[in-house]
Amino acid sequence: MTLSETDTQQSRHTPGSVPIGWIGAGRMGAAMASRLAAAGEDVTVWNRTRAKAEALTDSGCRVADTIADLRDRDVVFTMVSAPADLEQVLIGDAGLLADPDHVPGVVVDCSTVDGETSAAMRAACTERGVDFLSAPVSGNAKVVRAGLLTLVVSGPEATWLRVEPLLDHLGEGATYVGEGDAARLAKICHNVMLGVVTQCLSEITVLAEKGGMSRAAFLDFLNKSVMGSTFTRYKSPAFVHLDYTPTFTPPLLRKDFDLGFAAAHDLDVPMPVAAAAAAAVQAAVSSGRVDEDFGIMLDLQARSSGIELKPEEAEVDDGLSGGGRS
């Protein structure tokens, strides 16, 4: 689609004209639903723990008593934690698709689930005349609030064009990668790179510190160079302050590596660099620190290099606080 066609598609959408349902008000779901409401969209939220949905009323969202209350919505987003949760909210006894005579027009699943589950949910939607888009995201709640969230989308192209104006409210916009569950593979590839880059960043940061530099100074240099990125800037405060408040845990990262290697096996793609990083990810899991952020890979690299890290007091810009679209 050309830029002019994109502009035309956007101009045809009036905020609030599409009734939206939202299932899942955890950290990510709450931040994303709030952005839709702040953009003037008509958003009704359901969450298993009602209090989390009620917290979004200040953002302009309404609260659904049951999932069934969302069946009359034109578009329903799902953002849940695990495949079993997605199956429950869609095809469970009280799920969104439980009554085939009363279903929404489109389901947009932003959860990170395996391709098998996604394909099954796509089939369940198709059987009931509901369009299904896979739309996994890159980022966390802070990234959402900064307006820097990105999404990768696959499914029927006509459905994507209808929903694109809604997705654009969520951050930097979405990328359409084709039919079926192509978006799931794109997200797995993304997360494999996440692990590879984090291990590389850990290695060079420890090398610099053991050579006499502060982590803050080295990362400041790196982030100002052509090698810096949104991710290295975002991760720098955690590396400098040794703050491992979880955004993504080692077991979740290991799961995505496993999925990546399974896809690589099926497609006959050698991944030697990813295989080396996977060993470091496994070490993070084996350390027992499974409830901390995957940034603990820095600590493990330091330990294997014979040094003990200590928090540094320097102020570090994460690249998010003042960035992004409003």
Side-chain angles (χ1 to χ4, degrees), residues 12 24 48 77 81 88 100 112 124 185 238 301 321:
R12 290 175 182 166
R48 183 178 291 113
F77 287 82
S81 300
Q88 182 64 34
T112 298
L185 178 58
Q301 180 64 33
S321 300

Side-chain angles (χ1 to χ4, degrees), residues 22 44-50 53-54 62-70 94:
W22 193 282
T44 302
V45 180
W46 178 89
N47 191 71
R48 183 178 291 113
T49 303
R50 183 184 173 91
E54 290 177 340
R62 291 195 293 273
V63 179
D65 293 322
T66 67
I67 293 178
D69 294 335
L70 303 180

Side-chain angles (χ1 to χ4, degrees), residues 48-292:
R48 183 178 291 113
T49 303
R50 183 184 173 91
K52 291 184 178 181
E54 290 177 340
L56 300 181
T57 57
D58 290 342
S59 302
C61 298
R62 291 195 293 273
V63 179
D65 293 322
T66 67
I67 293 178
D69 294 335
L70 303 180
R71 291 173 184 159
D72 64 349
R73 305 271 95 182
D74 286 353
V75 178
V76 176
F77 287 82
T78 52
M79 178 52 118
V80 296
S81 300
D85 297 323
L86 183 60
E87 292 174 357
Q88 182 64 34
V89 300
L90 290 184
I91 61 174
D93 291 342
L96 188 69
L97 307 178
D99 182 353
D101 294 325
H102 298 88
V103 291
V106 180
V107 169
V108 182
D109 179 45
C110 298
S111 315
T112 298
V113 298
D114 59 273
E116 182 178 353
T117 299
S118 184
M121 295 304 97
R122 182 183 302 278
C125 285
T126 300
E127 289 172 4
R128 296 160 175 81
V130 179
D131 290 333
F132 183 91
L133 293 178
S134 299
V137 305
S138 173
N140 56 39
K142 188 171 184 179
V143 172
V144 177
R145 290 191 291 271
L148 297 173
L149 186 77
T150 55
L151 304 94
V152 59
V153 183
S154 62
E157 186 173 12
T159 307
W160 144 252
L161 293 175
R162 285 164 49 202
V163 173
E164 184 185 9
L166 304 180
L167 300 177
D168 281 345
H169 293 320
L170 297 175
E172 293 279 28
T175 300
Y176 179 71
V177 293
E179 300 283 338
D181 283 312
R184 303 296 183 188
L185 178 58
K187 180 60 187 297
I188 289 167
C189 292
H190 169 283
N191 281 8
V192 169
M193 184 173 178
L194 179 68
V196 170
V197 171
T198 302
Q199 178 59 21
C200 180
L201 186 63
S202 298
E203 291 177 11
I204 61 174
T205 301
V206 168
L207 176 62
E209 177 160 353
K210 196 166 185 181
M213 284 170 264
S214 73
R215 296 190 302 281
F218 170 70
L219 291 168
D220 181 63
F221 157 69
L222 180 75
N223 290 332
K224 289 176 179 175
S225 78
V226 295
M227 298 305 297
S229 67
T230 300
F231 176 72
T232 63
R233 284 186 289 274
Y234 168 69
K235 215 64 185 172
S236 289
F239 272 35
V240 170
H241 304 140
L242 305 185
D243 178 4
Y244 302 124
T245 302
T247 60
F248 194 55
T249 63
L252 291 175
L253 185 56
R254 180 179 64 177
K255 177 199 72 174
D256 286 343
F257 266 78
D258 290 343
L259 292 171
F261 289 134
H265 177 274
D266 292 343
L267 297 171
D268 289 327
V269 176
M271 300 179 68
V273 175
V281 174
Q282 178 59 60
V285 175
S286 299
S287 74
R289 297 170 65 179
V290 295
D291 295 322
E292 296 180 79

